[in-house]
């Protein structure tokens, strides 16, 4: 895997690559810029009252700090390194570190440049902090990042050998933790996974469509124009490519499960694009409070860390994903319906009364329920904290947790449809021509061909794994 440069301009794919184990390098120019900013911000903080450096934080923002900066910085980190619940997976922690390192290279925080090298070493040595699930509200992942700082200083154990830094001063303590890097990093991972599932959904739909002899007029340029909605053209083109050449349809007009897929999936594709754009905006920008305007040599106190836009984009994506679910259920029901397939109910074989794919439909319905639960907008929540000093929260951190749940449910839902679509094509003896759809069916041929009533858990597990490969046909 090539070295990934994190210098303030990294993109979503870079964060994903680091999360998956990629090694990182901070360019010399970024270290020099952060060093210059560090010296300037120390001077500015000595001249004007600066939140978190010369004052307390939260409701203590009016309390002047009179002792030395090192003691204040350590107290701040130790008091904020509080989280609870289950430990987050290594991949999410690495994504957080990648985002934070990239943000710090934007040189607006005033952090000591030694922190950049320490983060670089932490990632390349895979000596990670332990981060737990509960602490963030969408106005800064304070607990996770304070815990990371304590790990870098050797006060908390890392997951591997790590040379500890010396104690941090207040000129690095608050600047380092003043970020939503964990939420943003997890969002990058969600976007990456959903992008693959979005493409895989088109392949699974196309297999069901061909098995049910759907009417391709729903994919025509005229139908796309009539939809007058973003994303429809992208999805329709994906499916047209898969279904060429078209075959004679079985019906003049199909049920919604086949007929409105481009519109429903297009809405999700568009929402996912919006989420990706917002995640890309915030993963490389200095949002620390206070922010140091280096050109103007001023200290800027602000609320840019309030991730309302990211939270709304996550909510929008979760809602758009949930509304695709009923159409997947519709296609699964069509696959199980003898009047549409000419085959036995639930594509069962063997003795009369065999259940076939009956319970796969139940599994799909359970996944749909989880999709809907995860779509409850986190942005509707609010909370007042720190004696009213922070009277609202975006809860973007909760929205990304819900998105992670939705990813798992959506993968299960698509896997249920894939198992049914492959069985339908096999039982009908459909011969697919060479091309993308033939390639998709060849990949799916890894699914067992035994249609007798049996335990289908392994089939669904395999189908979920196949979705990543189907994304690229």
């Amino acid at each position: 895997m090539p070295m990934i440069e994190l210098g303030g301009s990294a993109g979503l794919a870079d964060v994903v690559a680091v999360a998956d184990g990629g090694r990182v390098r901070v360019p010399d120019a970024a270290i020099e810029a952060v060093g210059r900013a560090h010296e300037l911000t120390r001077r500015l903080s000595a001249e004007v009252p600066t939140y978190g450096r010369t004052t307390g934080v939260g409701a203590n923002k009016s309390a002047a700090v009179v002792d030395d900066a090192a003691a204040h910085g350590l107290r701040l980190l130790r008091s904020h390194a509080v989280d609870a619940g289950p430990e987050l997976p290594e991949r999410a922690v690495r994504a957080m570190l990648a985002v934070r390192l990239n943000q710090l290279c934007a040189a607006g925080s005033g952090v000591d440049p030694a922190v950049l090298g320490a983060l670089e070493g932490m990632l390349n040595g895979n000596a990670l902090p332990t981060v737990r699930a509960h602490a963030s509200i969408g106005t800064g992942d304070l607990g996770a990042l304070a815990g990371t700082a304590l790990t870098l200083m050797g006060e908390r154990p890392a997951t591997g050998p790590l040379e500890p830094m010396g104690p941090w001063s207040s000129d690095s303590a608050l600047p380092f933790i003043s970020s939503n890097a964990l939420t943003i990093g997890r969002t990058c991972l969600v976007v990456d996974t959903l992008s693959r599932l979005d493409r895989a959904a088109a392949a699974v739909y196309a297999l069901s469509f061909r098995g049910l002899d759907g009417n391709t007029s729903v994919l025509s340029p005229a139908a796309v124009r009539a939809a007058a909605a973003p994303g429809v053209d992208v999805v329709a083109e994906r499916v047209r490519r898969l279904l060429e050449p078209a075959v004679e349809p079985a019906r003049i007009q199909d049920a919604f499960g086949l007929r409105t897929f481009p519109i429903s999936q297009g809405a999700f594709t568009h929402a996912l694009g919006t989420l990706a754009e917002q995640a890309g905006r915030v993963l490389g920008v200095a949002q620390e409070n206070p922010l140091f305007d280096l050109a103007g040599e001023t200290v800027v106190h602000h609320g840019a860390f309030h991730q309302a836009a990211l939270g709304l984009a996550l909510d929008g994506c979760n809602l758009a994903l949930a509304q695709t679910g009923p159409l997947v259920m519709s296609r699964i029901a069509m696959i199980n319906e003898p009047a549409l397939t000419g085959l036995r109910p639930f594509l069962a074989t063997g003795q009369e009364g065999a259940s076939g794919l009956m319970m796969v439909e139940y599994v799909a319905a359970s996944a749909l329920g989880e999709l809907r639960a995860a779509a409850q907008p986190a942005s509707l929540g609010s909370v007042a904290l720190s004696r009213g000093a922070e009277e609202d929260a975006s809860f973007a951190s909760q929205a990304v947790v819900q998105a992670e749940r939705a990813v798992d449910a959506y993968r299960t839902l698509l896997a249920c449809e894939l198992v049914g679509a492959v069985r339908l094509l096999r039982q009908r003896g459909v011969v697919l021509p060479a091309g993308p759809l033939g390639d998709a069916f060849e990949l799916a041929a890894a699914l067992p061909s035994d249609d007798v009533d049996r335990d289908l858990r392994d089939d669904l597990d395999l189908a979920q794994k196949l979705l990543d490969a189907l994304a690229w046909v």
Side-chain angles (χ1 to χ4, degrees):
M1 183 176 290
M3 189 73 72
I4 299 149
E5 187 169 281
L6 298 179
S9 59
L12 189 149
D14 296 313
V15 174
V16 174
V18 175
D20 288 334
R23 293 176 61 82
V24 304
R25 185 183 76 85
V26 179
D28 293 340
I31 296 173
E32 292 168 3
V34 171
R36 291 192 298 270
H38 178 62
E39 293 304 318
L40 175 60
T41 57
R42 291 183 69 177
R43 176 173 63 81
L44 290 174
S45 295
E47 295 172 355
V48 297
T50 305
Y51 177 78
R53 292 198 182 199
T54 63
T55 74
V57 297
N60 295 327
K61 61 188 175 183
S62 299
V65 175
V66 295
D67 60 357
D68 67 279
H72 176 48
L74 284 173
R75 282 200 307 272
L76 186 67
L77 292 173
R78 289 166 178 164
S79 64
H80 281 63
V82 183
D83 54 9
E87 293 182 11
L88 296 183
E90 176 182 296
R91 195 164 182 258
V93 176
R94 288 185 62 87
M96 173 190 76
L97 297 175
V99 170
R100 194 67 194 112
L101 181 52
N102 191 60
Q103 289 176 325
L104 289 172
C105 288
S109 69
V111 72
D112 188 327
V115 173
L116 305 186
L119 282 175
E120 183 183 73
M122 177 176 265
L123 280 166
N124 290 339
N126 205 39
L128 308 178
T130 298
V131 179
R132 301 196 174 195
H134 304 305
S136 301
I137 59 171
T139 58
D141 295 321
L142 304 176
L145 291 168
T148 299
L150 294 185
T151 305
L152 287 168
M153 289 186 292
E155 291 199 10
R156 278 189 178 179
T159 60
L162 184 68
E163 184 68 27
M165 300 179 69
W168 289 15
S169 181
S170 61
D171 58 10
S172 291
L174 182 65
F176 182 76
I177 69 175
S178 185
S179 164
N180 293 278
L182 176 59
T183 300
I184 296 166
R186 293 169 80 176
T187 299
C188 291
L189 300 183
V190 163
V191 168
D192 177 66
T193 303
L194 284 179
S195 295
R196 292 196 302 275
L197 291 179
D198 184 27
R199 295 190 298 270
V204 175
Y205 166 77
L207 291 170
S208 296
F209 191 98
R210 183 54 55 86
L212 293 163
D213 293 327
N215 192 322
T216 57
S217 64
V218 300
L219 306 170
S220 67
V224 170
R225 288 194 299 272
V232 179
D233 55 340
V234 174
V235 173
E237 176 56 32
R238 283 177 185 166
V239 180
R240 274 199 302 267
R241 182 181 67 86
L242 286 161
L243 289 175
E244 291 175 349
V247 298
E248 190 68 24
R251 295 161 294 278
I252 295 175
Q253 180 167 280
D254 290 314
F256 277 14
L258 295 180
R259 186 161 32 124
T260 64
F261 175 82
I263 299 168
S264 176
Q265 196 70 23
F268 167 61
T269 301
H270 177 67
L272 180 58
T274 299
L275 177 59
E277 289 174 5
Q278 185 58 27
R281 289 189 189 102
V282 295
L283 70 85
V285 65
Q287 291 188 314
E288 297 86 2
N289 179 45
L291 179 68
F292 293 92
D293 179 2
L294 304 181
E297 295 195 7
T298 57
V299 181
V300 180
H301 293 93
H302 62 85
F305 52 81
H306 184 64
Q307 293 295 336
L310 184 63
L312 286 168
L314 282 160
D315 281 344
C317 191
N318 291 341
L319 283 163
L321 185 57
Q323 60 82 41
T324 69
L327 296 185
V328 180
M329 289 298 303
S330 170
R331 292 191 295 276
I332 291 172
M334 294 169 74
I335 288 169
N336 288 337
E337 178 51 53
L340 295 174
T341 67
L343 301 169
R344 289 177 58 181
F346 309 109
L347 301 183
T349 60
Q351 293 183 340
E352 288 298 320
S355 297
L357 298 178
M358 180 189 295
M359 289 309 299
V360 171
E361 188 174 17
Y362 280 64
V363 172
S366 174
L368 175 59
E370 177 65 3
L371 266 185
R372 287 172 168 162
Q376 177 66 27
S379 300
L380 292 177
S382 186
V383 67
L385 298 171
S386 191
R387 297 174 57 208
E390 296 185 7
E391 69 273 28
D392 191 22
S394 73
F395 284 109
S397 50
Q398 177 61 34
V400 76
V401 171
Q402 293 175 200
E404 290 168 345
R405 289 167 47 201
V407 164
D408 291 339
Y410 188 52
R411 187 182 288 275
T412 298
L413 195 58
L414 291 180
C416 290
E417 182 182 359
L418 178 60
V419 167
V422 170
R423 183 180 286 204
L424 174 60
L425 288 165
R426 283 172 171 166
Q427 288 192 7
R428 290 194 61 205
V430 176
V431 178
L432 298 174
L437 192 60
D439 294 342
F441 188 64
E442 186 174 345
L443 284 169
L447 288 168
S449 57
D450 182 2
D451 292 350
V452 300
D453 278 3
R454 57 184 176 79
D455 183 352
L456 294 175
R457 174 191 283 180
D458 290 343
D459 296 56
L460 289 177
D461 285 346
L462 177 57
Q464 291 189 54
K465 295 174 183 175
L466 291 172
L467 292 173
D468 286 325
L470 288 173
W472 304 109
V473 298

